[in-house]
Amino acid sequence: MCLNMDDSINLSTNMSYADKADLTASILNHNVSFNSTMETSMESPLPKLSVTLTDAEIKKLRQAQLEDSSLNESVVSIEPALIENSSQYGISDSVISMDETVEVAAIEPREEVEEAVPIEDPADYFETRLVELSRRCWPSSQDAQHYTKGCCWSPDGTCLLVPVHLDGMHVMELPADLYSATTLQQTRQITQLKSAVHVPESGTVYDCVWYPHMNSQQPDTCLWLASRQHEPVHMWDAFDGALRCSYSGYDAVDEVMAAISLAFSHDGEKIFAGYKRCIKIFDTSRPGRMCDDYPVKAAISCIAQTTEHPKTVTCGNWSGYIQHFDLRSSPKQGPLFTLGGHKGGITQLRYAGTEMGEWYLFSGARKCNKLLQWDMRNYKEPLVEFKRNVNTNQRVQFDLTADNKWLASGDTHGLLNVWDLAGDRDPAAIPLHSDCCNGVSLNPVFPIVATSSGQFHFVKNAAHTNSSILNGSTIDADPETELPEGDKQDVVYENSVCMWWSGRSE
């Protein structure tokens, strides 16, 4: 079903509230653009009116509130008994898989969906040595080198998103036996990761980001954004890999530009896309080319934002500077301030959570052996400097735990560097990979670390130069022998994604 703009306006003004919410969910599932005037929440659209009450009316209102509160308490007191006897009511406390959620939602959609409950007593990170849980490797040849380009856990901790060079993007699920695990059994075998969703895009994926309120039990929220070379920003479905919609940025000659960096606002209503000369702000509910432009003077390589200041964004650029913009001010005023300190272009920015204070900013750059922590209340110089090995132009990720106690980062030597932010500043270097550890992502719910490895290697063609490079060593070939076209030698470098248990073990 296709809706034009006039139809959407008529629907938004004539339909009831519940009908609008159902129509919005249906439109999202069918990849149809809808008007931003349609209501997508269940809150009352009526404004709050200012009235004056008499003393008698106020007393009567308070009495009604007390009666309502006593009624709510009586209802709550019954809930534990229902939970204890949940088996006789057909309620299962096991984790629902993504496929089961799709089938149930397609047959009998619910009005209210219960969110997944995390572990009540989660184990702390890095209490003991890391134990490998699962692994996935990609073969690589002289013609097509496959290597990972980072990894990222979904906000609910159930899915891992991994972009792979020349092999698109993969979504891998957390092994089912780990959902209820508080300790790791030593008898557990290493499982082989398989792609639950594979988007086979060719070319280079510049950036990808999860929807901030993603929940596997709510299919409409299971999505991510990705920017690819010569393509607009695409929104992908995390259940079946379908293309939901696109957000297109155009240049002065009306040609599609590829976004270099992406970020959602914390409420998920806005999309910030960084380009070479501007920041484009899209409305998530309005796919297409309509957006707000904020001109800048350098290419935006990464974007970060705090919940306390939703009208401002902090951006890194390829010139090696961090700039803070107020989107309410005129672009002619430029950034509010500019931070230096890195030798190369900024590759990642990350604000700490509310427990540490959202004014702490962490930054990393390419070909720069420093991770910097900034206090945005006094940003004249970095607050702390962390050392890591980064000698390539690729993005080497870092991440923070949910409680902001641990900082973890990969490096080009295959090490996982871990810092205790509340204690010793010296890193614990853990050798995990034989090649560059380009991706690190800490699960927000479980004590599980995901790492990815690989990078591009310049390999000479043995058919023309009579030599090839395997695992960093040169192997000479017979000058009179030429390899057939279909018999190319594999490039033996580690290109993998792994999951590691970092909590308590038995």
Side-chain angles (χ1 to χ4, degrees), residues 345-402:
I346 310 298
T347 55
Q348 186 180 357
L349 295 175
R350 171 74 182 270
Y351 275 102
T354 55
E355 293 186 5
M356 177 182 287
E358 286 193 314
W359 50 81
Y360 288 115
L361 176 70
F362 294 83
S363 62
R366 61 185 183 183
K367 285 193 174 181
C368 182
N369 295 329
K370 294 184 294 184
L371 271 177
L372 300 181
Q373 179 182 352
W374 304 85
D375 188 344
M376 303 304 282
R377 298 168 297 181
N378 184 11
Y379 45 80
K380 292 183 178 180
E381 60 183 11
L383 186 64
V384 184
E385 182 177 305
F386 305 95
K387 295 292 185 181
R388 64 173 184 173
N389 295 312
V390 177
N391 52 24
T392 63
N393 286 324
Q394 70 183 123
R395 179 186 291 113
V396 177
Q397 292 179 335
F398 63 87
D399 199 4
L400 291 165
T401 54

Side-chain angles (χ1 to χ4, degrees), residues 96-106 113 215-219 239:
I96 302 175
S97 66
M98 296 178 67
D99 294 336
E100 292 174 354
T101 306
V102 173
E103 294 176 358
V104 172
V113 182
N215 189 339
S216 295
Q217 295 188 4
Q218 298 178 359
F239 271 93

Side-chain angles (χ1 to χ4, degrees), residues 175-436:
D177 62 309
L178 299 176
Y179 279 95
S180 59
T182 56
T183 59
L184 179 68
Q185 300 294 332
Q186 296 292 343
T187 57
R188 187 187 187 280
Q189 297 181 352
I190 299 176
T191 58
Q192 182 179 1
L193 289 174
K194 296 183 179 180
S195 299
V197 174
H198 179 209
V199 180
E201 289 199 25
S202 60
T204 302
V205 176
Y206 290 149
D207 199 5
C208 51
V209 59
W210 284 101
Y211 179 66
H213 302 293
M214 183 268 191
N215 189 339
S216 295
Q217 295 188 4
Q218 298 178 359
D220 287 345
T221 65
C222 297
L223 55 92
W224 80 89
L225 293 176
S227 175
R228 191 172 69 93
Q229 188 178 15
H230 307 307
E231 294 289 341
V233 177
H234 292 316
M235 178 184 289
W236 298 98
D237 193 299
F239 271 93
D240 55 7
L243 177 63
R244 287 196 179 184
C245 57
S246 299
Y247 304 86
S248 303
Y250 289 83
D251 57 13
V253 294
D254 207 35
E255 293 183 353
V256 176
M257 297 187 299
I260 303 174
S261 57
L262 295 171
F264 270 107
S265 60
H266 287 282
D267 56 9
E269 296 181 358
K270 299 293 183 181
I271 298 172
F272 300 99
Y275 293 84
K276 291 183 178 180
R277 289 293 182 267
C278 68
I279 303 172
K280 293 184 180 294
I281 307 170
F282 296 92
D283 191 341
T284 307
S285 62
R286 300 187 66 178
R289 62 183 299 169
M290 295 186 63
C291 62
D292 296 329
D293 284 3
Y294 194 91
V296 294
K297 296 183 179 180
I300 303 298
S301 56
C302 51
I303 302 173
Q305 193 182 37
T306 63
T307 56
E308 294 183 356
H309 304 284
K311 300 298 183 180
T312 63
V313 292
T314 306
C315 303
N317 56 47
W318 290 135
S319 300
Y321 295 104
I322 303 170
Q323 296 179 327
H324 192 72
F325 297 94
D326 189 343
L327 301 178
R328 296 166 296 183
S329 63
S330 173
K332 296 181 180 179
Q333 297 181 3
L336 298 180
F337 54 82
T338 301
L339 307 179
H342 288 287
K343 296 181 180 179
I346 310 298
T347 55
Q348 186 180 357
L349 295 175
R350 171 74 182 270
Y351 275 102
T354 55
E355 293 186 5
M356 177 182 287
E358 286 193 314
W359 50 81
Y360 288 115
L361 176 70
F362 294 83
S363 62
R366 61 185 183 183
K367 285 193 174 181
C368 182
N369 295 329
K370 294 184 294 184
L371 271 177
L372 300 181
Q373 179 182 352
W374 304 85
D375 188 344
M376 303 304 282
R377 298 168 297 181
N378 184 11
Y379 45 80
K380 292 183 178 180
E381 60 183 11
L383 186 64
V384 184
E385 182 177 305
F386 305 95
K387 295 292 185 181
R388 64 173 184 173
N389 295 312
V390 177
N391 52 24
T392 63
N393 286 324
Q394 70 183 123
R395 179 186 291 113
V396 177
Q397 292 179 335
F398 63 87
D399 199 4
L400 291 165
T401 54
D403 57 0
N404 298 309
K405 182 180 178 181
W406 299 95
L407 171 66
S409 172
D411 69 4
T412 52
H413 293 170
L415 301 176
L416 175 64
N417 300 294
V418 180
W419 294 270
D420 185 357
L421 298 180
D424 191 5
R425 297 295 184 179
D426 294 332
I430 307 173
L432 296 182
H433 299 280
S434 61
D435 206 338
C436 173

